[in-house]
Amino acid sequence: MNHHKFKVILISLLLLFFIEVKLEYVIAQSGPTINSITTNYPSSPVPKYDKFEITFDIANSQAQNFQFPYVSQTEADQHTDQQVPPQSYLQEFVDQGISVDGLFLPPGQSDWNNAYTTPGFYYQEFLDQVKNNKPWYYPTENYHWKVRFSPNQEGRWQYKLRVTDKGGIAESQVFTFDVSPSTNHGFIKVSPDDSRYFEFDDGTYFPATGYNLGMGQLQSDTNLQELQDNKIQFVRSWLAPFNINSTAWTAWEMMPGHYGGYLPRVPSVPYEEVPGSGQPRQMKFIVSEDSTWFEPCAFLGHTQPSPAVKSNTTYYIRAKYKTMNVTGPRDPVYPNYGFVIKIGGWDGDCQDPNKPGVPSFSLTYPATNYGTDTNWNYVQGEWNSGTNNFLPNFYMVLENASGGRAYIESIEMREKTGGTVDNPVLTGQNIVEKNSADELTYFTQTPSYKMDKIVEKLKNYDMYVRPVLLEKGEDLGRLTDAYGKIISAGTSSSEDNFYGATKRCTNCREYTAQRWLQDAWFRYVQARWGYSPNIHSWELLNEGDPDHWGHYAQTDEMGKTFNCRVFGKTIGFNDAQDCTYDHPNAHMVSTSFWHSFPAGAFWKNTIYPNVDYADVHAYISTSNGLNYSSPCSKAEMSNDAAAYHECHSRQYYGRSIGKPIIRGEAGMDAAGNQSSTILNIQRDTDGIWLHNYIWAGLSDGGLIEQYWWVGEHIDYSITTYITGTAGNQPPAPYPVCDTPVFETANNRWRFKCYFDNRDEYANYYNFVKDILLNKGGYVDAAPAVGNPNLRVWGQKNTIAGNAHVWIQN
């Protein structure tokens, strides 16, 4: 053989091999890949309705935001303002995100078109401990992807994973898992046999006994055990104050904590680099000395938990800022002034100069240099945590300035393991999670992890929660227009923007950027917690506008999203389009209004078919639209808790909306005075009012109550004073009281005593749980009562031969 020819052939083959290998490498790198797949049930069957969790990694993604779903240009073009010139509502989000899904094929199925699609989410790991008797969640650098799903059928399931981003689509191989029987009743839904009531997937009646509680109260095993002991199963709780998404109940609060009426004022503002230039505006944090709205101090660590820190650890701190018209020093004795990061205790004068050695002015101390640059620059410094397990109050401050303002783009605080302040060696994650004012672009991980823990606890205590997901006064939502752009600081924020309406509802079904941002949040909520049967439903927001059609459409579109879109099912953006898809992990949706009960306009209006149950907020003081004839006058209801329930229950039921009705907020008070103390109801320490209020629920109206003033009227304390002398302690006025304290100046003993009447819920639950109200056939018992001093309410089922009544003397 000709050796030269052999060499040419060999070189050609090698070159061809190299080209093929190189081409294969390019192809592999051009799109996302899925690897390192594990599950929480690697070898044993998954109990029916239990969480099946898949953890995995994704490489080679071209996404710029792992917390936004993927939007292609084609999809964006489908949602375009038809005005001239046309603009895509979703153009801001094209090719930015990544959509991750799990596909679950039920037993006996072979066609993947019949698989249930479930969204996935980006997950950060935490060091999880208890320090200072508080949960200590410390962020790590470990991130993964997760898909969570609760199977509703026994047998062998198949599943695979799918990823879509700018680089393309990738799918994993097919895997299997087995599902075994369990005692779990499944998810809660409206009874198909009697629309007044709820039931579980297996047909078990859900009595829905409960009230309002803060979401943070559900972290405590002690609290949850007490709720379970008293058969309080159904809790309405705001998720918005966890500040996972949006600016409502922001982690950054202004000192001294001003409120803007309904929500805390937000220390952020739309910012344009060259005012009036038309350049994209972004949100920046702000501290100011020349504003009646913004304060010179904003801080972490008040209503939101302080970030966890490692003890005896040095942290590097850096903030990107610029100032405008800053002058100083206001106090010339202290030359330092400008923007600075400070750390320390509660300091209502944190804008004043730090005065070492002067106690009232050294509660906080500077942790960085002072900055007065009018171009973007950094302040930086370091702080040693010492014995702290949690970051003390952490302030961004315009200190000792006589005027001006500072804008802050980002804040960073990370472990410093070496180097200098100017050239630090850093490790770990930024522990300041709310590090940017563009708070609609990310979902905060620490409170998300906290919510994970709560949802798992709910299962252990047979508790069901109704999370409120948004706030109607959310500042950033009102500042984000239909195209996803921040409106000018000089423009009034618009409720229309928040409700997703481009105008005051010339077309409330347009899929604006605001709607898309809310849908991105809903997708994350479903992906992370929607697997749980202990989520009763999702409530859009607390007390929105009852007269804004945008709110109506927003709620109905939310129903479409939670029941179709998040599960990969397409549905239009028009009136009267009902999502009938039946996904095993879907939950009900509703909303609430700040007044009235728009039965015809909304609750039973057929153009809003994706709203599962009705809600009303009606204290005695705020009740409206009722027939106030006896016994339903506000004066009579204030003296009769049973009538307070029954008047609303019968009259709302009489609107014939064909859905369960929940009174999401209720409270015993008086006409014209929404006050928890106006009736002195706390003095009814035996809870007779509560007994009557709860047992009135046996009537046929079906109204489900969730009381608001729990800590004032149901599980509460009273401080009582008894005149006496220091050496002569009187007996305790009530059975359960703290050790009394003698007040020398007043010559009296102070007793703090406790009352817990929650057992009334258990008594009612134990009676009603076995009455099959959800199976239909029950109507008003309408008993004849000869004695005017007696009241009898109840229902009968003539087909089943059953009846129940409550007799009140």
Side-chain angles (χ1 to χ4, degrees):
M1 184 177 185
N2 186 303
H3 292 286
H4 177 71
K5 183 177 180 180
F6 175 76
K7 289 180 180 179
V8 171
I9 294 173
L10 181 60
I11 291 170
S12 298
L13 289 173
L14 288 172
L15 182 60
L16 179 62
F17 174 76
F18 174 78
I19 292 172
E20 288 178 341
V21 170
K22 183 67 175 178
L23 180 61
E24 184 178 62
Y25 175 80
V26 170
I27 291 173
Q29 292 298 308
S30 65
T33 59
I34 305 169
N35 53 68
S36 305
I37 301 172
T38 62
T39 77
N40 61 331
Y41 281 96
S43 56
S44 59
V46 182
K48 185 178 176 182
Y49 294 119
D50 203 5
K51 178 179 71 173
F52 180 62
E53 181 175 273
I54 311 165
T55 303
F56 52 100
D57 295 328
I58 296 173
N60 307 325
S61 174
Q62 296 186 35
Q64 298 179 40
N65 187 330
F66 283 176
Q67 297 186 334
F68 273 177
Y70 177 67
V71 177
S72 67
Q73 186 65 60
T74 300
E75 182 182 357
D77 289 342
Q78 294 172 357
H79 305 288
T80 300
D81 186 345
Q82 298 306 313
Q83 298 183 30
V84 179
Q87 300 180 66
S88 168
Y89 289 123
L90 306 186
Q91 192 61 44
E92 292 285 309
F93 314 115
V94 170
D95 291 337
Q96 298 294 307
I98 178 171
S99 293
V100 179
D101 297 284
L103 283 71
F104 297 88
L105 193 61
Q109 298 281 348
S110 58
D111 185 351
W112 281 94
N113 290 319
N114 296 325
Y116 295 119
T117 300
T118 298
F121 65 97
Y122 197 48
Y123 176 87
Q124 182 179 17
E125 292 184 359
F126 287 82
L127 302 178
D128 186 341
Q129 300 175 29
V130 175
K131 298 189 177 184
N132 300 2
N133 296 316
K134 296 189 296 185
W136 185 85
Y137 305 139
Y138 193 82
T140 75
E141 295 181 274
N142 298 323
Y143 288 85
H144 304 286
W145 289 90
K146 287 183 182 289
V147 169
R148 292 170 172 171
F149 176 73
S150 291
N152 65 337
Q153 298 179 42
E154 298 166 26
R156 176 154 294 181
W157 288 68
Q158 300 179 74
Y159 73 92
K160 60 183 177 180
L161 302 169
R162 183 175 61 203
V163 178
T164 307
D165 70 3
K166 181 181 179 181
I169 300 174
E171 284 193 355
S172 73
Q173 70 183 81
V174 175
F175 302 90
T176 63
F177 65 97
D178 294 322
V179 176
S180 60
S182 78
T183 58
N184 195 313
H185 296 302
F187 289 69
I188 298 172
K189 59 187 180 183
V190 177
S191 166
D193 300 311
D194 193 325
S195 61
R196 292 173 295 175
Y197 302 109
F198 297 115
E199 67 180 28
F200 292 96
D201 277 332
D202 67 357
T204 301
Y205 172 47
F206 178 64
T209 48
Y211 46 57
N212 281 264
L213 276 180
M215 192 68 77
Q217 293 175 274
L218 300 178
Q219 296 182 89
S220 164
D221 287 281
T222 300
N223 289 345
L224 289 168
Q225 185 62 62
E226 291 174 351
L227 292 170
Q228 184 182 42
D229 291 344
N230 289 291
K231 304 302 181 184
I232 296 165
Q233 289 188 299
F234 183 32
V235 171
R236 176 178 182 259
S237 190
W238 296 4
L239 181 58
F242 270 24
N243 200 222
I244 298 171
N245 177 237
S246 86
T247 56
W249 307 104
T250 178
W252 286 102
E253 297 181 67
M254 285 187 284
M255 178 64 77
H258 286 287
Y259 275 70
Y262 172 68
L263 295 171
R265 295 184 188 176
V266 179
S268 59
V269 67
Y271 176 83
E272 191 173 28
E273 193 67 47
V274 181
S277 67
Q279 295 176 351
R281 284 176 286 272
Q282 293 181 318
M283 296 299 294
K284 307 294 183 189
F285 294 127
I286 182 173
V287 286
S288 174
E289 274 287 1
D290 57 5
S291 169
T292 58
W293 181 264
F294 300 108
E295 296 292 332
C297 301
F299 73 112
L300 297 173
H302 185 210
T303 57
Q304 298 292 327
S306 296
V309 297
K310 294 179 180 178
S311 60
N312 300 310
T313 301
T314 298
Y315 286 87
Y316 170 76
I317 303 168
R318 186 173 75 162
K320 186 177 181 180
Y321 82 100
K322 70 177 293 185
T323 67
M324 183 177 293
N325 301 323
V326 169
T327 56
R330 186 176 68 251
D331 184 344
V333 175
Y334 297 89
N336 289 324
Y337 74 97
F339 175 68
V340 65
I341 300 296
K342 301 171 77 171
I343 296 177
W346 183 269
D347 189 356
D349 298 314
C350 54
Q351 75 273 22
D352 286 332
N354 179 258
K355 303 176 181 180
V358 182
S360 61
F361 290 93
S362 59
L363 294 174
T364 60
Y365 51 89
T368 66
N369 60 299
Y370 291 80
T372 56
D373 291 281
T374 55
N375 294 314
W376 291 105
N377 204 339
Y378 292 92
V379 293
Q380 59 184 7
E382 61 183 46
W383 172 77
N384 188 276
S385 58
T387 60
N388 288 290
N389 293 312
F390 298 91
L391 183 64
N393 287 335
F394 185 83
Y395 298 83
M396 47 184 180
V397 184
L398 189 58
E399 184 188 298
N400 201 21
S402 52
R405 61 185 62 187
Y407 299 99
I408 301 93
E409 181 172 289
S410 61
I411 300 180
E412 176 184 12
M413 185 171 183
R414 296 171 58 195
E415 294 176 44
K416 178 174 174 286
T417 57
T420 64
V421 170
D422 292 327
N423 189 24
V425 178
L426 305 176
T427 188
Q429 287 295 294
N430 185 1
I431 68 168
V432 181
E433 289 200 316
K434 286 293 183 178
N435 55 70
S436 162
D438 286 316
E439 296 185 50
L440 294 184
T441 66
Y442 60 93
F443 309 127
T444 314
Q445 291 300 295
T446 304
S448 293
Y449 182 77
K450 181 169 66 174
M451 185 63 181
D452 287 348
K453 306 273 286 187
I454 289 172
V455 171
E456 285 299 302
K457 285 178 182 287
L458 295 176
K459 177 182 68 174
N460 299 333
Y461 292 97
D462 197 25
M463 287 285 303
Y464 301 86
V465 69
R466 173 191 174 195
V468 182
L469 299 182
L470 295 174
E471 285 290 358
K472 63 178 181 291
E474 202 281 307
D475 195 64
L476 188 48
R478 296 166 67 95
L479 289 167
T480 304
D481 71 10
Y483 309 100
K485 299 181 183 299
I486 305 299
I487 64 177
S488 169
T491 305
S492 297
S493 63
S494 171
E495 187 180 52
D496 293 350
N497 284 339
F498 172 77
Y499 287 126
T502 54
K503 306 164 191 63
R504 196 163 180 86
C505 290
T506 54
N507 181 355
C508 284
R509 297 293 182 152
E510 291 176 308
Y511 195 52
T512 63
Q514 181 68 255
R515 288 260 171 87
W516 186 89
L517 285 165
Q518 291 169 4
D519 273 1
W521 166 231
F522 298 155
R523 178 184 169 92
Y524 179 77
V525 165
Q526 176 64 41
R528 190 142 193 171
W529 306 296
Y531 74 89
S532 173
N534 296 87
I535 300 295
H536 170 274
S537 59
W538 309 114
E539 182 178 335
L540 171 67
L541 50 78
N542 178 62
E543 296 191 350
D545 189 342
D547 301 313
H548 199 303
W549 291 358
H551 182 190
Y552 295 175
Q554 182 190 39
T555 309
D556 191 61
E557 290 299 327
M558 172 193 180
K560 293 178 186 178
T561 295
F562 268 116
N563 287 278
C564 271
R565 295 179 187 126
V566 297
F567 301 128
K569 297 299 179 182
T570 301
I571 189 170
F573 298 89
N574 295 305
D575 292 344
Q577 292 182 304
D578 189 4
C579 173
T580 59
Y581 180 59
D582 186 16
H583 190 284
N585 291 178
H587 297 278
M588 299 175 290
V589 302
S590 191
T591 190
S592 60
F593 299 107
W594 69 272
H595 73 75
S596 71
F597 186 70
F602 180 61
W603 295 120
K604 64 179 180 181
N605 193 331
T606 57
I607 70 174
Y608 308 114
N610 300 287
V611 182
D612 295 288
Y613 60 88
D615 180 278
V616 63
H617 289 191
Y619 300 74
I620 294 173
S621 59
T622 62
S623 297
N624 58 39
L626 297 181
N627 178 348
Y628 294 110
S629 60
S630 184
C632 296
S633 73
K634 292 191 176 185
E636 288 174 299
M637 287 191 289
S638 292
N639 289 290
D640 186 345
Y644 170 48
H645 169 86
E646 182 66 359
C647 292
H648 290 82
S649 183
R650 284 185 184 271
Q651 294 192 41
Y652 293 144
Y653 176 54
R655 310 285 176 86
S656 301
I657 67 169
K659 298 175 180 177
I661 305 173
I662 297 175
R663 179 151 53 179
E665 284 189 23
M668 290 286 291
D669 57 14
N673 195 330
Q674 189 174 3
S675 164
S676 64
T677 59
I678 187 65
L679 299 180
N680 281 322
I681 203 170
Q682 297 90 336
R683 297 297 173 180
D684 178 7
T685 57
D686 292 325
I688 295 171
W689 78 270
L690 181 61
H691 173 91
N692 294 336
Y693 172 75
I694 292 174
W695 284 87
L698 289 179
S699 71
D700 70 316
L703 180 66
I704 296 166
E705 298 279 15
Q706 291 193 297
Y707 202 75
W708 180 259
W709 285 319
V710 175
E712 293 85 354
H713 292 169
I714 298 174
D715 179 24
Y716 63 100
S717 64
I718 291 178
T719 300
T720 299
Y721 301 92
I722 300 177
T723 301
T725 59
N728 186 18
Q729 178 181 316
Y734 300 104
V736 182
C737 301
D738 286 340
T739 302
V741 175
F742 184 73
E743 296 181 349
T744 303
N746 300 309
N747 290 320
R748 64 184 185 183
W749 290 87
R750 184 176 73 244
F751 289 84
K752 187 174 183 180
C753 304
Y754 299 90
F755 308 91
D756 185 353
N757 294 311
R758 292 177 294 176
D759 60 331
E760 290 291 349
Y761 287 94
N763 296 335
Y764 178 80
Y765 173 89
N766 289 329
F767 178 85
V768 78
K769 66 181 176 65
D770 295 322
I771 302 175
L772 303 180
L773 293 169
N774 60 307
K775 296 304 182 183
Y778 279 92
V779 297
D780 186 3
V785 182
N787 187 337
N789 293 318
L790 296 181
R791 171 186 283 162
V792 184
W793 289 331
Q795 295 192 74
K796 61 185 177 184
N797 187 326
T798 56
I799 297 174
N802 296 328
H804 57 275
V805 296
W806 175 57
I807 303 172
Q808 181 189 17
N809 188 338

